[in-house]
Every structure is written in structure tokens, then in C-alpha cells.
Amino acid sequence: MPIATTNPATGQVLKTYDAMPDEEIDAAIERADLAYRQLRGTTVDQRGRWLTAAADLLEADRDATARLMTTEMGKTYAAAKAEVTKCATACRFYAANAAAFLADEPADAPAVKATRAFVRYQPIGPVLAVMPWNFPLWQVLRFAAPALMAGNTGLLKHASNVPQTALLLEDLFRRAGFPEGAFTTLLVGSDAVDRILSDPRVRAATLTGSERAGRSIAQIAGRELKKTVLELGGSDPFVVMPSADLDRAAEVATTARCQNNGQSCIAAKRFIVHTDVFDAFAERFAANMSALRVGDPMNDDTDVGPLASEGGRDEIHAQVRDAVDRGATVLCGGEPPAGPGWYYPPTVVTDLTPQMRMWGEEVFGPVAGLYRVSSYDEAIEVANGTNFGLGSNAWTRDPDEQERFATDLDAGNVFVNGMTTSFPELPFGGVKNSGYGRELSALGMREFCNTKTVWVGEGAASAGAGAHAE
């Protein structure tokens, strides 16, 4: 895939880049390793000042950065501005909380026959980040902010269709004051990932992307014995029970499906509705989806912009056509508009069966699958009946059902009466084919730390009877 900025609203190629040659990749890895040796010797307070400066720069440059993201991948300008603000918030969160997250944790010294015992969190070195185009700033910042605060350095291999955003990120951390090489963008194709991750100076990798990409990274890292965190696809359920506030559920469902033009791993994709309220919800939901305005993502009144690529639009249309050909019913949408740009209308499809692609595949665009169920148990069966387990939503005012959903939904995130989203304060990640490991919160920061056990005994005292290794 070429490394290029192509405006998805017009299909016009605006700027192209050559892939970095091997010698430039080696030089970038060397700079990252040298920067790590410098960064790990700085204080948390100093790193916090740099990260706060990055937040200041993000806020000052918000509008220009948002326009760039909209140009490169088609999200609405309003959504892009909100993404920049969210990134600044995350930077401030880690600048304020890193000291507590990295503080030594005392253990029960007498229980382990020590005078002192504790856990210490220390950085591990350069980390390769392979990142997607759909949230081109946020996906990177939610890795970079905690990683840099921990004292690691970052090597970014961004998606090939957002090269200017990728270069902006490198420049951001340089302008904020971080040492040269602390965060470096590598303009390379996916064929260079094996070489980069195999380099002994690169100590770990994180990836947000497809199952296929996750398996590839995991295979390389397994061979090299390196830590990975993977956030992969999702086909999130949105369950609506009889006690739910239907107006509010249908309103949030519309946003949950069409946020970011429907291109989010944690967007609700499968709407599982109890038969007692199915017709009422379906009517509200289809009406809301039909009312969304599709158009130029730079316009203030646009709700849904283009998909990021022509191939992405063709793929979701093929999934819809497969369902229709096998007997599904389209309540709204379902046909791409004529004209330039890679647009697709908000679409609701019902009467789905397991033989249809939409039943088991992730649909990465503004297309909702609507499922009718007759009981709580059937809702759980359908919700958990995929290989994915990233986010999930449940709508019920019944306290017992709320508690059961929190336990029974097989996902890394359960949101009750609200839309799945990510917060710096909460861990984020999935189970099953949605990946492993966690981003955000203290857990995300510690994923790329050496969790070191420290045991201190009395000078020359013996270990004591019965002591044994391991």
C-alpha cells in the first residue's frame, strides 16, 4: 500500500512519501535506544512537564490538527477536534498521575522473611507501536503518553494513509521538549515490521488493528520473546431489554453505530433487542439512522462523512448485499450514493441468520445488524456468539439484570445504559480474538514496565531454615 494522503471525500491523492530505506530505519532505532538511556534517568516530574507541554501544544494547534485528520481519513471536523481535546486530556492525566502509578508498592516483608520487600516499576526500552488510521491521534497518544511517562521511548509505524498525522506526532513530542529520538515516526510499509521488531534494541510492541495484523505481530514477538499488547477488532453487542428507556437507547444506539463514520473497533455493531420492545426500538432506531446527514466532513452540519478508503466502502456493501441475497431485510440505507468520495449511508439490516457474513464478521462502517431475542439468556447467547470480545452495551433499568450483564457479557468492557468509550482513568482492552493486554489507566502504563520484585534482608543473616529458590 502506498504511503500517501488521499482525501476520502474526493478520492484525490494529495501527497505521497517514499518508504524509509533500511539505513534510516537503523538510525532511528539507534536514536530511540540512546534516548531511552537518557529518558530513564530523568525524573517523573521532568517527564510530566514535557507531557504537559505536549498537551498545551495540542490545544493550541487543535483546529489545524483536526483539519489534517479529516483530510487524511474523513472523520467529521467536529469529531476530529474532539479527538485532539481528548488527547490533551490524556496527556495531562498521565502527567498528573504517573508518579503514583510508578511508586514502589510495599509488600509484607515479615511474611517473606525480609526487612524490606517491595515492587518497583521500571521502563524496558524502545517500544514499537503499529497503529491504525481510524483514530490517528488518539490511538497513538493513549500508548505514547503512559509509555513516555514510564521512561520508555516509542517507534511509530502508523497506517500508510495518515502519514502527515504520523509526522505531526513526532514533531509534537520534539517541540514539547522530549529528548531527540524519544518518539520517532517510521514511514515504512508493513513489510518492514518484522525487521524492526526483530532488532534486539526494540523491546516490545503494541498494535491496534485487524486480527490478521495482530497474529503477524504476535508471531514475530513470540519468536523474539518480546512482550506485546494487542487491541484488535470488535463486533460489539448493544442489548436492549424491556425495562430500557427506548428513546434514550435508540438515540445512543445511533451515535454508537455511526461515531467516526462507523469505523471504530468499539462501535456498537450488533443490536440485540428483546421481542417485547423490538418493533418499538427498531422504528425509533431506523428513523434516527435515516435522519443522519451524510456529506462533506468539513461541514458543520454533517453527521457522517466518507469511509477512509474505497476498499472499505466496497467491503461493507458486499457484506450488506450478502445478507440481502440470503433473505435479510434492509430498514434504511443499503446503497452507496453516486458521485465522488467513499460515502455509505447509515444502514439498518434485520432478519439476519448465521449463514450471513454480517452475523460473524466485523462490519467496519455505518451498518447496524438488528437481532430479535425472546429472553435474557438468548440475548447473552447472541451477544457472546462471536469470536470477538472488545466492548459491549446493555440497556436495562432492572438492577438484577444490570449486575448479570456485568458478569455474563464476555468482553473487556461492559457499559450499562451508556455508550462504550475509552477513558484515561479506566483500563481498555479485549478478550478472545479482540486481543490481550490493557491500555490506559495504571494497568496500561505498567504493561511496558519491568515489574521488579525487591527483597532486602539483614546484612549477613541466613535465609533461614526451609528456605528454597523459586
Side-chain angles (χ1 to χ4, degrees):
M1 182 176 181
I3 301 173
T5 296
T6 302
N7 188 338
T10 64
Q12 181 183 4
V13 178
L14 302 177
K15 197 167 187 178
T16 61
Y17 296 83
D18 293 328
M20 294 174 67
D22 289 349
E23 57 269 24
E24 288 187 26
I25 296 173
D26 287 339
I29 295 174
E30 178 64 18
R31 288 195 300 272
D33 188 49
L34 292 172
Y36 160 63
R37 298 174 190 280
Q38 179 181 351
L39 198 62
R40 69 183 181 184
T42 62
T43 65
V44 174
D45 285 346
Q46 175 61 74
R47 300 194 292 271
R49 287 193 290 274
W50 289 330
L51 197 60
T52 299
D56 293 340
L57 290 168
L58 284 167
E59 291 169 343
D61 299 342
R62 185 196 66 169
D63 291 358
T65 301
R67 282 193 295 271
L68 176 60
M69 287 194 288
T70 296
T71 299
E72 289 204 300
M73 55 70 60
K75 70 170 70 229
T76 65
Y77 182 47
K81 288 188 287 186
E83 182 172 340
V84 178
T85 299
K86 184 172 184 175
C87 290
T89 299
C91 287
R92 297 191 190 285
F93 172 80
Y94 278 106
N97 291 282
F101 293 164
L102 298 173
D104 290 347
E105 292 185 359
D108 186 347
V112 296
K113 300 180 176 59
T115 58
R116 285 194 301 138
F118 56 92
V119 174
R120 175 163 292 171
Y121 297 100
Q122 295 181 297
I124 59 173
V127 180
L128 171 65
V130 181
M131 292 289 136
W133 47 262
N134 55 333
F135 291 92
L137 206 69
W138 170 243
Q139 303 277 18
V140 177
L141 258 296
R142 74 183 190 190
F143 150 73
L148 291 169
M149 282 303 301
N152 297 304
T153 55
L155 293 162
L156 172 64
K157 187 275 181 239
H158 217 325
S160 295
N161 60 331
V162 290
Q164 294 186 69
T165 303
L167 292 170
L168 179 150
L169 283 156
E170 177 181 319
D171 188 56
L172 169 71
F173 292 113
R174 181 186 299 114
R175 291 165 61 204
F178 282 93
E180 185 72 23
F183 189 90
T184 303
T185 289
L186 305 175
L187 290 181
V188 297
S190 58
D191 56 340
V193 170
D194 191 328
R195 185 175 184 277
I196 297 166
L197 188 50
S198 298
D199 191 296
R201 293 167 294 187
V202 178
R203 297 309 313 152
T206 181
L207 175 139
T208 298
S210 67
E211 284 183 79
R212 179 180 175 184
R215 293 180 192 278
S216 177
I217 285 283
Q219 184 177 36
I220 299 165
R223 184 188 72 213
E224 301 295 329
L225 297 178
K226 294 181 180 181
K227 172 73 176 286
T228 54
V229 171
L230 304 180
E231 192 262 276
L232 308 178
S235 189
D236 290 10
F238 188 106
V239 183
V240 181
M241 297 300 285
S243 67
D245 179 338
L246 294 187
D247 288 334
R248 179 61 179 159
E251 177 187 353
V252 174
T254 306
T255 303
R257 177 59 287 214
C258 293
Q259 61 167 317
N260 207 45
N261 305 340
Q263 301 166 122
S264 171
C265 293
I266 56 169
K269 300 179 178 77
R270 297 178 300 128
F271 297 82
I272 301 162
V273 185
H274 194 283
T275 188
D276 290 353
V277 292
F278 182 91
D279 292 340
F281 176 84
E283 180 181 2
R284 289 168 169 81
F285 185 35
N288 290 347
M289 293 282 278
S290 298
L292 293 176
R293 295 177 295 271
V294 179
D296 184 344
M298 286 302 299
N299 290 346
D300 291 339
D301 61 352
T302 294
D303 299 307
V304 179
L307 298 186
S309 70
E310 185 175 18
R313 183 189 63 179
D314 292 347
E315 175 68 7
I316 67 167
H317 188 53
Q319 290 170 310
V320 171
R321 295 313 310 167
D322 170 78
V324 171
D325 290 345
R326 295 174 186 272
T329 302
V330 176
L331 300 185
C332 65
E335 290 293 338
W342 302 317
Y343 294 92
Y344 202 83
T347 298
V348 179
V349 183
T350 191
D351 299 322
L352 295 165
T353 66
Q355 292 72 37
M356 301 170 185
R357 291 179 59 191
M358 281 186 64
W359 186 277
E361 297 180 5
E362 179 177 22
V363 183
F364 215 62
V367 177
L370 194 55
Y371 303 75
R372 184 192 297 265
V373 295
S374 60
S375 66
Y376 173 90
D377 289 340
E378 186 181 3
I380 289 294
E381 181 180 1
V382 174
N384 291 343
T386 76
N387 292 325
F388 298 107
L390 188 55
S392 60
N393 307 259
W395 287 77
T396 174
R397 287 184 277 202
D398 183 324
D400 291 336
E401 284 184 344
Q402 292 175 1
E403 189 62 30
R404 292 177 68 191
F405 276 120
T407 299
D408 294 343
L409 285 169
D410 196 6
N413 306 268
V414 177
F415 279 64
V416 179
N417 296 333
M419 188 178 80
T420 303
T421 188
S422 55
F423 298 95
E425 296 85 354
L426 295 173
F428 180 85
V431 295
K432 299 192 288 187
N433 288 11
S434 290
Y436 51 75
R438 291 295 179 265
E439 297 178 291
L440 301 174
S441 77
L443 295 180
M445 171 171 275
R446 294 168 183 167
E447 285 282 7
F448 296 115
C449 287
N450 173 18
T451 303
K452 180 184 289 185
T453 294
V454 180
W455 185 99
V456 181
E458 297 181 13
S462 66
H468 60 278
E470 302 217 350

